[in-house]
Amino acid sequence: MKHKTFIPTKRNILLLAALAVVIVVAVIWLYAGKSGEPFESTSLAMGSYVQQTVYGAKAQDAAAAAAKSVADLENLIAWQIGTSDIAKLNAQAGSEWIPINPKTAQLLNTCLDAAAKSGGAFDPTILPISSMWDFGGDNQRLPGKDEIEKFLPYVDYQNLRVSVQDNTASLKNHLDGLDLGAVGKGAACDEAIAAYKQAGVQGAIVAVGGSIGVYGTKPDRTPWKIAVRDPFAGENTSAAGIGTISMTSGCVSTSGTYEKYFVQDGVTYHHLLDPKTGYPVHNGLVSVTITHENGAITDILSTACFILGKEKGIELAKQYGAGAVFIDENKNVTVTDNLKDSFKLTGSGYTLQGAQG
Amino acid sequence: MNPLFTKKAPLLKRRDIFLCLALVAIAAVLFLVFAPRGTGVATVQLNGSTLATVDLSKVQSAYEIPVGGAYPLTVLVEPGAISVKEASCPDKICVRTGKISSPGQTIVCLPDKLIITIAGQNKQADGITG
């Protein structure tokens, strides 16, 4: 009798405990599933695809606010938009200082600083040359040597003057022109992150073309994982990356020869123009990826470091405390020391090289 | 002595085993009902408005969706995949992107302002740079 009453009790406790565990796990699972449901939005801005994934209570409002911030920035800095600060500056080139939005002034100042630090490898006054090539545009073409020679002297960042005190700027010569194409997408990520911060979302990731910004945390608290596109995957933009970068905040941008290019008479011309020559740079690199807290700087440095080449590029990244991943045409991958712990190589056929940085 | 192995009064009786099986069955049903789905639901957007939503896993035979806009193009829907078959845009990046079939993949035609997305999260990464 004693046995009969004792054992069923223990058995029942065991079963109850098992049931309780199942219920608790189920509730946590369902709850996690629900709260982990992000708000996703896609739009077109800055001449790119803008993709947002936002987690948290005010996700939808935050995504709308971020999209508006990006559109507002585009309306300030796109030279193609006639009413933008940059279009006005270009139209007034060679005459006088004109008033601009403080945001534009700050961004131009960042550009000037980077142009000086990179010795002109990044140059915001590239428009006279870049508009002739018109990569990805309706009139993309190989410009004549005489045309390049004629307009190259006007590509000089020292012709741009900016006052962040007065929020004014000027271009020295009539033929000077600003093109912020190498900084706009990164700067747009900064705008989106500022919007997420203001809305107070739990976490968010924004991609403006190939520039990515992350904010806050994911529901599972793991770092954001950013894949680095395989430069040899061709147009297949959905292909797996060559590796991943784990990050908890900040931005990442990539400049690659595969982004915009055309082939004429068997020669491939890609969009990464050397401001010194007016032609695409050929130094063995196929893509450069940069990480930094500031998105505009990641975008600028990815271009500048590509133009400079690996050795000088690593030096420049170091000056900014940025992380860098260089990929060359032989599938060698060079990662700066400050990214070693967060970068993971996954692409087959690629080999890691050592780097000082 | 471990009660599990006592012959007189085993800890787990036949009906307990049935109870366990029933619980597993309930868990399985719950999983099927609440498991993340939507793998393979493609959305075709032109200039911000949705033109079509297609569950690619339910497509029996291939068909085309003609899409207008500044540079008209043809979207090809096949069992399990979607692609841009032909396009009048200058760069043809949308066509060269090829077929997409997994959650998180996208096809974009910037000139025509066309976006095709497949719903769901990319398991490998949160974003892709480049």
Side-chain angles (χ1 to χ4, degrees), chain A residues 26-107:
Chain A
V27 166
I28 288 172
W29 178 46
L30 284 175
Y31 178 76
K34 262 213 176 115
S35 71
E37 204 67 53
F39 178 78
E40 293 187 54
S41 118
T42 54
S43 56
L44 296 173
M46 286 286 171
S48 305
Y49 174 57
V50 180
Q51 187 166 29
Q52 302 183 60
T53 306
V54 188
Y55 298 88
K58 302 160 192 156
Q60 191 163 351
D61 293 344
K68 189 186 177 296
S69 294
V70 171
D72 288 349
L73 181 70
E74 183 178 15
N75 288 332
L76 285 178
I77 68 164
W79 65 265
Q80 299 93 334
I81 296 174
T83 52
S84 75
D85 282 346
I86 300 303
K88 285 185 213 158
L89 267 167
N90 290 346
Q92 294 292 312
S95 58
E96 57 205 48
W97 289 71
I98 66 159
I100 52 174
N101 187 287
K103 233 170 219 174
T104 315
Q106 284 296 341
L107 192 59

Side-chain angles (χ1 to χ4, degrees), chain B residues 39-99:
Chain B
T39 59
V41 176
T43 305
V44 182
Q45 266 182 289
L46 182 68
N47 211 353
S49 63
T50 302
L51 299 184
T53 306
V54 187
D55 187 343
L56 296 175
S57 61
K58 289 191 178 134
V59 175
Q60 298 295 325
S61 56
Y63 64 93
E64 293 175 357
I65 304 174
V67 175
Y71 297 91
L73 48 84
T74 307
V75 172
L76 177 65
V77 181
E78 292 166 277
I82 188 163
S83 57
V84 175
K85 192 184 166 196
E86 49 196 18
S88 56
C89 59
D91 57 21
K92 303 278 190 286
I93 286 172
C94 52
V95 178
R96 283 183 287 176
T97 301
K99 290 175 189 178

Side-chain angles (χ1 to χ4, degrees), chain A residues 8 15 44-45 71 83 103 127 164 167 174 209 220:
Chain A
L15 282 169
L44 296 173
T83 52
K103 233 170 219 174
L127 184 68
V164 285
N167 293 313
H174 178 60
D220 64 5

Side-chain angles (χ1 to χ4, degrees), chain B residues 90-112:
Chain B
D91 57 21
K92 303 278 190 286
I93 286 172
C94 52
V95 178
R96 283 183 287 176
T97 301
K99 290 175 189 178
I100 59 167
S101 54
S102 318
Q105 288 188 310
T106 54
I107 300 175
V108 179
C109 181
L110 285 174
D112 197 40

Side-chain angles (χ1 to χ4, degrees), chain A residues 11 19 29-30 40 42 44 47 49 55 138 210 212 218 224-227 229 235 237-238 253-254 258, chain B residues 11 13 15-16 23 31 34 45 71 90 96 100 105-106 110 113 115 117 121 124-130:
Chain A
R11 197 184 62 191
L19 195 67
W29 178 46
L30 284 175
E40 293 187 54
T42 54
L44 296 173
Y49 174 57
Y55 298 88
D138 286 336
I212 310 266
K218 286 196 283 178
W224 301 93
K225 234 166 87 182
I226 315 299
R229 178 154 292 147
E235 299 291 347
T237 50
S238 308
S253 293
T254 299
Y258 53 86
Chain B
L11 182 63
K13 284 186 177 168
R15 62 162 200 227
D16 298 330
L23 279 174
F31 181 79
F34 291 105
Q45 266 182 289
Y71 297 91
R96 283 183 287 176
I100 59 167
Q105 288 188 310
T106 54
L110 285 174
K113 299 192 191 300
I115 302 173
T117 51
Q121 299 290 104
Q124 271 84 49
D126 298 301
I128 182 156
T129 179

Side-chain angles (χ1 to χ4, degrees), chain A:
Chain A
M1 276 306 278
K2 256 186 183 176
H3 267 71
K4 266 191 180 172
T5 50
F6 177 64
I7 290 171
T9 313
K10 192 171 182 182
R11 197 184 62 191
N12 286 344
I13 288 168
L14 212 74
L15 282 169
L16 275 174
L19 195 67
V21 167
V22 167
I23 288 168
V24 166
V25 166
V27 166
I28 288 172
W29 178 46
L30 284 175
Y31 178 76
K34 262 213 176 115
S35 71
E37 204 67 53
F39 178 78
E40 293 187 54
S41 118
T42 54
S43 56
L44 296 173
M46 286 286 171
S48 305
Y49 174 57
V50 180
Q51 187 166 29
Q52 302 183 60
T53 306
V54 188
Y55 298 88
K58 302 160 192 156
Q60 191 163 351
D61 293 344
K68 189 186 177 296
S69 294
V70 171
D72 288 349
L73 181 70
E74 183 178 15
N75 288 332
L76 285 178
I77 68 164
W79 65 265
Q80 299 93 334
I81 296 174
T83 52
S84 75
D85 282 346
I86 300 303
K88 285 185 213 158
L89 267 167
N90 290 346
Q92 294 292 312
S95 58
E96 57 205 48
W97 289 71
I98 66 159
I100 52 174
N101 187 287
K103 233 170 219 174
T104 315
Q106 284 296 341
L107 192 59
L108 285 176
N109 206 40
T110 303
C111 288
L112 273 184
D113 185 50
K117 283 197 172 105
S118 67
F122 163 78
D123 197 316
T125 63
I126 192 86
L127 184 68
I129 294 291
S130 63
S131 60
M132 274 196 291
W133 289 89
D134 194 30
F135 287 99
D138 286 336
N139 306 310
Q140 80 180 5
R141 67 187 177 97
L142 172 62
K145 267 208 173 86
D146 51 326
E147 291 177 285
I148 301 252
E149 272 165 25
K150 185 187 169 196
F151 289 102
L152 198 56
Y154 299 101
V155 177
D156 184 351
Y157 65 91
Q158 298 187 57
N159 294 340
L160 168 67
R161 307 281 167 81
V162 182
S163 166
V164 285
Q165 282 82 40
D166 307 335
N167 293 313
T168 53
S170 78
L171 286 165
K172 197 172 164 190
N173 309 300
H174 178 60
L175 289 175
D176 292 340
L178 289 167
D179 177 356
L180 300 193
V183 58
K185 294 180 186 99
C189 291
D190 292 331
E191 290 298 310
I193 289 173
Y196 301 142
K197 208 173 275 178
Q198 199 171 6
V201 297
Q202 187 206 347
I205 181 165
V206 60
V208 183
S211 290
I212 310 266
V214 302
Y215 171 76
T217 53
K218 286 196 283 178
D220 64 5
R221 309 253 157 209
T222 58
W224 301 93
K225 234 166 87 182
I226 315 299
V228 177
R229 178 154 292 147
D230 183 346
F232 296 98
E235 299 291 347
N236 186 358
T237 50
S238 308
I242 64 111
T244 57
I245 300 172
S246 296
M247 49 199 292
T248 52
S249 70
C251 297
V252 52
S253 293
T254 299
S255 285
T257 54
Y258 53 86
E259 291 173 277
K260 288 178 184 169
Y261 66 90
F262 63 84
V263 182
Q264 188 169 320
D265 300 328
V267 182
T268 301
Y269 299 93
H270 64 74
H271 77 295
L272 295 161
L273 297 168
D274 185 344
K276 299 261 169 26
T277 66
Y279 285 93
V281 70
H282 291 286
N283 55 15
L285 290 174
V286 289
S287 90
V288 176
T289 299
I290 299 286
T291 63
H292 193 270
E293 281 304 309
N294 183 285
I297 285 170
T298 62
D299 209 354
I300 291 172
L301 289 189
S302 70
T303 304
C305 292
F306 191 103
I307 304 293
L308 285 172
K310 195 167 90 176
E311 270 76 42
K312 285 183 179 169
I314 288 172
E315 285 302 308
L316 181 64
K318 209 173 179 178
Q319 275 193 59
Y320 277 91
V325 180
F326 294 79
I327 305 174
D328 73 17
E329 56 200 9
N330 296 318
K331 296 195 168 186
N332 293 312
V333 181
T334 307
V335 183
T336 52
D337 286 344
N338 54 2
L339 265 190
K340 288 251 156 77
D341 295 333
S342 47
F343 178 81
K344 207 176 118 201
L345 186 74
T346 55
S348 62
Y350 288 87
T351 47
L352 273 174
Q353 308 291 312
Q356 310 298 313

